[in-house]
Amino acid sequence: MALDAVCLQGIVEELRPRLTGLRIDKVQMPARDQVILTLRAGRLLLNAGAGAPRMQMTEIARDNPAEPPMFCMLLRKHLVGAKVADLIQPPLERLVRIELDITDDFGRPGRRTLVLEAMGRRSNLILLDGEGRIIDCLRRVDADMSAARQVLPGLYYDPPASVGRLPVTEETEEGFRAAFADAPGDQAADRFLLERYFGVSPLVAREVVFRATGETDRRLAAMDDAARDRLWGELADLIARIRDNRLTPVCLSRQGKMEEFSYLPITQYGTAMESRTYENFSALMDDFYAARERQERVRQRGADLIRTATTARDRLRRKLAQQQREYAQTQDRDHLRVCGDLITSNLYRMKRGESRLVTENFYQEDCPQVEIPLDPLLTPQENAAKYYKRYTKAKTAERYLREQMEIARRDLEYLESVLQEINQAETEQDFLDIREELRESGFLRQQGKGKKLPKRPDKPREFCTSSGFRVLVGRNNRQNDRLTLKDAGPRDLWFHTQKIHGSHVILFTQGREVDDDTIVEAAKLAAWFSQARESGNVPVDYTPLRFVKKPAGARPGMVIYTTCKTVNVTPEESIVQQLKK
């Protein structure tokens, strides 16, 4: 579900007393559609992305690009040090104006306005001067893109046009009854609400109809006077809730996956969905959009890496299949040697120009007749030599193909692990590290002598168990190697999903006895940061580090272990969040 105007109203009312009067200390732009304003009260996230436009306070730390975008530099110039004067939302509009008091370079007071238009694919973030002129915006809209409304630097800001429907908070009982009487009888009741009222989302329209009739798809013609009265009663209750700002952040989940959210309890799904009430909208948004943002980051930043790794993996699969076919052919090479021996033993009776030899096969019982094809252009001795040569070639090919298939399988496993890393990458540095790893492994070409981005120290994910044990989880194969082979001690415990690609997880024991609950928590971390994240009852092996070794010449992240115990766990995001340090 996209953020609707009423949820945005709840966020604005929630943030206005918290932010008014605070200064902006820092401006960041971790993604092309996201701006974060750091204030004393926390981090204010403004997202103008088409898939998740919103405004909220966020507790999630986001990694910044090595070089800030130009729009970010512009915002820093105008907004750092500015004081929040007010947050203004036009009634039932998905638009928020952040009014800011500034002091210019000459010490004169002034005003800046940062406008967030949270309107799906037309979302935008626009900076205005004190006169309402556009200084710049995240997405410039010229006449070719929209003849009705341009958003360009230097123009006066013109708010988006109204959609022409009646704001739901302005409805009266008389107006509702008249509109109900004029509506076509075959129209669905929720569609009637959506087409008449501005500010009602599809989810809320269905909920209002469900509360009034017990169904979500009831037609107007099927509603008697009592049902019509109940529908108005539910709609009037919704109007009062919006006017009084009695909004409750509610999230709906199916099988642990967040599906929708709203500002009032949702009953239409019954037991098919689980409902959870949040303390505030910002906390709800952090949880709801966390997984979606991760997928979007992978799509935007990791698309070329996924394409490179997938292409290399598919090429290796085809190569391995061809090698296996050729290897199977070498297993029949003894037949070639036998043919050579039989030709050699029958040289006295053969003549040049013959195309076949029919003789007894004395290598088998009863000496059955066998027919051996010959090359009529060769002498009998040359035909025998040809069969011996093919036998020797097949024998050599078997050894070579066995080695090459082992290398191909090793590289295939490595590329599968890289794809798992990309899908679970969280920060800009994660993608940079994976890109460098692929270059060093020879799967990605080195790009000329371009400008080098500054190298940041890459830190593993860090957690703390309920018993106080420190746990580190590798972000990529090179980090897995460093954690396992350098950072951890021989008595620390190493966790990894059994026969499933995933991160190395290190439980630092510090000489203490480890209880079963701690083992399970560390195993759940290993299962979560693996390809089995969406599975249940995942087997996780664990063993002291002294039993974990890296074979000579192995790819990054590849290790072997000689002894282990296994625990079966089900990955849970709530446990991962709980253990975050």
Side-chain angles (χ1 to χ4, degrees), residues 287-304:
D287 285 356
F288 188 84
Y289 286 110
R292 287 167 172 78
E293 281 193 1
R294 181 170 58 248
Q295 293 170 357
E296 182 66 14
R297 280 195 299 272
V298 171
R299 188 186 67 80
Q300 289 181 0
R301 303 178 183 176
D304 61 326

Side-chain angles (χ1 to χ4, degrees), residues 26-242:
K26 189 186 296 185
V27 177
Q28 299 167 284
M29 202 166 170
R32 65 183 181 183
D33 298 323
Q34 293 182 354
V35 170
I36 292 180
L37 307 179
T38 303
L39 307 96
R40 189 174 61 197
R43 294 188 293 268
L44 176 64
L45 170 66
L46 304 172
N47 191 314
R54 65 193 187 279
M55 177 176 73
Q56 63 166 105
M57 300 301 292
T58 181
E59 299 295 330
I60 300 175
R62 291 168 172 81
D63 195 51
N64 294 312
E67 290 188 356
M70 292 299 296
F71 188 63
C72 179
M73 299 297 290
L74 177 79
L75 293 180
R76 287 176 180 176
K77 174 184 175 182
H78 288 273
L79 302 187
V80 171
K83 183 184 293 185
V84 178
D86 200 2
L87 301 180
I88 301 173
Q89 179 195 15
L92 297 183
E93 293 281 358
R94 288 182 294 171
L95 182 150
V96 180
R97 295 171 62 100
I98 305 175
E99 301 293 344
L100 301 159
D101 291 329
I102 66 160
T103 302
D104 64 17
D105 296 336
F106 300 100
R108 295 173 300 194
R111 175 59 64 97
R112 293 289 183 270
T113 304
L114 191 58
V115 181
L116 172 65
E117 297 179 352
M119 301 176 180
R121 59 186 181 85
R122 295 184 289 112
S123 298
N124 211 339
L125 196 60
I126 306 165
L127 180 64
L128 311 180
D129 63 14
E131 298 178 353
R133 288 182 184 270
I134 299 173
I135 297 175
D136 208 345
C137 50
L138 195 63
R139 294 184 180 87
R140 298 183 179 185
V141 181
D142 57 22
D144 292 335
M145 300 171 67
S146 173
R149 178 175 179 255
Q150 287 81 52
V151 184
L152 294 170
L155 299 180
Y156 280 104
Y157 175 70
D158 182 24
S162 173
V163 295
R165 287 174 288 163
L166 177 69
V168 68
T169 51
E170 297 179 10
E171 181 61 293
T172 63
E173 183 174 358
E174 294 75 14
F176 167 80
R177 293 183 182 277
F180 189 96
D182 293 339
D186 61 346
Q187 187 178 40
D190 63 323
R191 177 54 54 185
F192 162 72
L193 297 178
L194 287 173
E195 292 183 357
R196 173 163 175 80
Y197 301 117
F198 178 61
V200 177
S201 68
L203 174 66
V204 172
R206 292 196 306 271
E207 181 64 21
V208 169
V209 174
F210 179 80
R211 291 185 179 190
T213 67
E215 302 174 2
T216 58
D217 57 353
R218 179 70 67 92
R219 302 286 170 176
L220 297 182
M223 298 176 66
D224 56 17
D225 291 344
R228 181 194 59 194
D229 292 342
R230 289 195 302 272
L231 182 62
W232 164 247
E234 293 296 339
L235 184 62
D237 181 70
L238 175 68
I239 293 171
R241 180 187 290 267
I242 296 172

Side-chain angles (χ1 to χ4, degrees), residues 193-322:
L193 297 178
L194 287 173
E195 292 183 357
R196 173 163 175 80
Y197 301 117
F198 178 61
V200 177
S201 68
L203 174 66
V204 172
R206 292 196 306 271
E207 181 64 21
V208 169
V209 174
F210 179 80
R211 291 185 179 190
T213 67
E215 302 174 2
T216 58
D217 57 353
R218 179 70 67 92
R219 302 286 170 176
L220 297 182
M223 298 176 66
D224 56 17
D225 291 344
R228 181 194 59 194
D229 292 342
R230 289 195 302 272
L231 182 62
W232 164 247
E234 293 296 339
L235 184 62
D237 181 70
L238 175 68
I239 293 171
R241 180 187 290 267
I242 296 172
R243 285 175 176 171
D244 300 340
N245 199 47
R246 291 184 286 108
L247 309 179
T248 304
V250 175
C251 186
L252 301 174
S253 303
R254 180 183 284 114
Q255 297 179 346
K257 184 178 180 181
M258 295 182 174
E259 298 282 353
E260 294 185 290
F261 63 86
S262 186
Y263 51 86
L264 76 165
I266 302 297
T267 60
Q268 60 189 273
Y269 296 109
T271 58
M273 280 202 184
E274 304 165 3
S275 179
R276 176 185 174 188
T277 301
Y278 279 78
E279 183 179 350
N280 54 63
F281 280 99
S282 291
L284 186 155
M285 299 294 168
D286 260 357
D287 285 356
F288 188 84
Y289 286 110
R292 287 167 172 78
E293 281 193 1
R294 181 170 58 248
Q295 293 170 357
E296 182 66 14
R297 280 195 299 272
V298 171
R299 188 186 67 80
Q300 289 181 0
R301 303 178 183 176
D304 61 326
L305 295 177
I306 291 177
R307 185 168 55 252
T308 298
T310 302
T311 300
R313 181 198 62 187
D314 294 344
R315 185 167 57 244
L316 272 173
R317 284 177 176 172
R318 293 192 296 270
K319 180 180 178 181
L320 181 60
Q322 178 63 26

Side-chain angles (χ1 to χ4, degrees), residues 454-486:
K455 174 71 175 175
R456 300 179 182 177
D458 51 334
K459 296 181 180 179
R461 303 177 181 94
E462 187 165 355
F463 302 88
C464 185
T465 68
S466 303
S467 304
F469 287 91
R470 182 179 178 229
V471 180
L472 295 183
V473 180
R475 294 178 180 272
N476 53 67
N477 283 316
R478 294 194 303 176
Q479 198 172 87
N480 287 337
D481 276 353
R482 188 167 69 245
L483 278 177
T484 300
L485 305 174
K486 295 183 179 180

